[in-house]
Amino acid sequence: MTEGSEATVAAAHRVEVALGERAYHVHIGPGVRAALPEVVAGIGARRVAVVSARPPEWTPDPGVPSVVIPARDGEHHKTLGWVEELCRRFADFGLSRSDAVVSVGGGTTTDAAGLAAALYHRGVPVVHLPTSLLAQVDASVGGKTAVNLPQGKNLVGAYWQPRAVLCDTEYLTTLPRREWTNGYGEIARCHFIGAGDLYGLPVQEQIAASVVLKASIVADDERDAGPRHLLNYGHTLGHALERATGYRLRHGEAVAIGTVFAGVLAGRLGRIGPDRVAEHRSVVAAYGLPTALPAGPGSDAGALIALMRLDKKATDGLTFVLDGPRGAEPVRGVPEPEVAAALADMPVGDAGTGGR
Ligand code: GLY
């Protein structure tokens, strides 16, 4: 551990993702990026390629010779072309299999750098330093890496577990408000898949609880064959809304609306009562997230249903993760008229946020 980092890092949360020989820790707290040299030394890497979306003062020195490659942050840069460019830069630097890649940025950076690490030399160790709330609570943990194709999001990827994740909450101090609400979309949906009520806790605790939940689900089902589908609570409609609005809605905002919808649909199907349906709306609203379908293409039921049929998890008709007597679980083959009726029950417009 580097000098001066012990106190802050000791105050951090440490969550294990228990995956046998691929197990690793997620460190959460202010200043945990200072642990990077220790993590790199533990891997035994002699050189490091740092892919960073942050300015130099926020990009920690890995303690070994390194090259910093400025990241192209943003969904439209999550392409195979960018992954090839990263691999070329790794090769120019002479990165070998006994070295490592470090990503510093939001989910689009950890996704692309993670995939480049998975592919380069058939796999080099990667350490993620997620800098957005959304990446800290979800994207950087669990080993999913991917880039987009014109045909859809995250269509080309690999499971490549990081060797460590350093969720430094000091990165969050510079986030614009919309990035906070974006992350809260994923935290709000945790309420309905086993994390309980996280509203009002300090953000470090909210991140830790979300990561503990995700770590246990990933340890159960690394390759998304069943239990991991739970993490997609609110995502079936969420993904459709992202596409229908041309990504004008951020992922977390779309998941928030999708979470409210999951409650409405579960209520229509008699899986939960009116109080629990209302709880979906009040939890989402409490985090300052939208609860209504956006006006325009984002409220066209026919278009949304067509997009939901394309969902990667929709192997058997329209598929949703829905709350019910046994808790949340995937429900396949939901009749289209029920989905259309639930969409019709949703409010439309920019309103829909409020206190709790
Ligand atoms: N973000 C969903 C998952 O990691 O499975």
Side-chain angles (χ1 to χ4, degrees), residues 1 28 44 81 102 108 110 125 132 136 154 160 180 216 221 224 238 251 261 270 272-273 287 302 307 324-325:
M1 189 159 302
I28 304 146
V102 169
T108 56
T110 59
S132 69
Q136 295 195 355
N154 296 334
W160 190 244
W180 279 92
S216 74
D221 178 22
D224 214 359
H251 179 71
F261 174 74
I272 57 174
Y287 287 103
L307 287 168

Side-chain angles (χ1 to χ4, degrees), residues 138-139 141-142 144 186 189 214 218 224 228 231-232 235 313:
D138 187 51
V141 178
K144 281 189 181 175
E186 295 286 14
R189 69 85 162 88
K214 180 156 188 181
V218 168
D224 214 359
R228 191 164 176 168
L231 294 168
N232 267 36
H235 281 59
K313 308 265 184 322

Side-chain angles (χ1 to χ4, degrees), residues 217-290:
I217 291 173
V218 168
D220 228 24
D221 178 22
E222 182 184 10
R223 296 284 171 136
D224 214 359
R228 191 164 176 168
H229 292 1
L230 280 192
L231 294 168
N232 267 36
Y233 201 81
H235 281 59
T236 311
L237 180 63
H239 286 149
L241 284 172
E242 282 183 274
R243 288 193 68 183
T245 60
Y247 297 97
R248 189 173 52 77
L249 270 184
R250 305 296 308 277
H251 179 71
E253 296 167 340
V255 166
I257 300 167
T259 296
V260 174
F261 174 74
V264 171
L265 182 58
R268 275 202 73 82
L269 296 175
R271 296 176 56 87
I272 57 174
D275 288 355
R276 186 70 167 165
V277 175
E279 191 177 334
H280 283 70
R281 189 163 281 132
S282 68
V283 167
V284 167
Y287 287 103
L289 286 153

Side-chain angles (χ1 to χ4, degrees), residues 2-351:
T2 53
E3 202 176 319
S5 68
E6 271 174 47
T8 46
V9 176
H13 290 269
R14 194 176 77 143
V15 180
E16 184 182 25
V17 184
L19 287 168
E21 60 185 15
R22 291 185 313 292
Y24 56 96
H25 287 110
V26 182
H27 303 262
I28 304 146
V32 297
R33 67 188 184 285
L36 183 62
E38 185 187 1
V39 169
V40 167
I43 293 170
R46 292 166 311 174
R47 289 146 66 82
V48 162
V50 182
V51 182
S52 179
R54 286 298 186 122
E57 63 275 22
W58 284 101
T59 303
D61 187 331
V64 294
S66 62
V67 62
V68 177
I69 304 168
R72 294 180 193 159
D73 222 0
E75 239 7 274
H76 58 290
H77 284 306
K78 248 178 64 172
T79 63
L80 276 171
W82 174 229
V83 170
E84 178 180 349
E85 173 73 22
L86 285 173
C87 290
R88 284 171 179 251
R89 298 287 298 270
F90 298 164
D92 287 345
F93 180 57
L95 204 74
S96 77
R97 281 184 83 176
S98 41
D99 298 325
V101 171
V102 169
S103 76
V104 184
T108 56
T109 298
T110 59
D111 268 5
L115 182 57
L119 297 176
Y120 184 74
H121 284 220
R122 299 193 182 87
V124 294
V126 65
V127 178
H128 294 311
L129 277 69
T131 61
S132 69
L133 183 57
L134 188 123
Q136 295 195 355
V137 296
D138 187 51
S140 64
V141 178
K144 281 189 181 175
T145 71
V147 292
N148 303 330
L149 293 179
Q151 287 81 353
K153 246 182 105 171
N154 296 334
L155 290 188
V156 181
Y159 289 95
W160 190 244
Q161 298 296 342
R163 298 290 284 270
V165 180
L166 304 178
C167 297
D168 193 328
T169 50
E170 286 175 0
Y171 282 127
L172 307 178
T173 57
T174 59
L175 291 184
R177 184 177 157 73
R178 199 162 174 208
E179 271 303 323
W180 279 92
T181 45
N182 194 30
Y184 276 125
E186 295 286 14
I187 292 174
R189 69 85 162 88
C190 286
H191 183 107
F192 300 99
I193 57 172
D197 194 358
L198 306 179
Y199 182 73
L201 295 179
V203 70
Q204 181 173 329
E205 308 296 327
Q206 292 174 324
I207 298 167
S210 305
V211 170
V212 165
L213 176 70
K214 180 156 188 181
S216 74
I217 291 173
V218 168
D220 228 24
D221 178 22
E222 182 184 10
R223 296 284 171 136
D224 214 359
R228 191 164 176 168
H229 292 1
L230 280 192
L231 294 168
N232 267 36
Y233 201 81
H235 281 59
T236 311
L237 180 63
H239 286 149
L241 284 172
E242 282 183 274
R243 288 193 68 183
T245 60
Y247 297 97
R248 189 173 52 77
L249 270 184
R250 305 296 308 277
H251 179 71
E253 296 167 340
V255 166
I257 300 167
T259 296
V260 174
F261 174 74
V264 171
L265 182 58
R268 275 202 73 82
L269 296 175
R271 296 176 56 87
I272 57 174
D275 288 355
R276 186 70 167 165
V277 175
E279 191 177 334
H280 283 70
R281 189 163 281 132
S282 68
V283 167
V284 167
Y287 287 103
L289 286 153
T291 58
L293 294 174
S299 55
D300 177 336
L304 290 173
I305 289 171
L307 287 168
M308 287 192 277
R309 286 196 180 283
L310 298 176
D311 193 90
K312 286 204 283 290
K313 308 265 184 322
T315 49
D316 183 12
L318 288 162
T319 299
F320 298 85
V321 183
L322 296 177
D323 201 3
R326 293 174 299 275
E329 61 187 355
V331 180
R332 299 178 206 290
V334 179
E336 184 173 321
E338 295 289 359
V339 177
L343 284 169
D345 284 347
M346 292 283 290
V348 177
D350 293 332

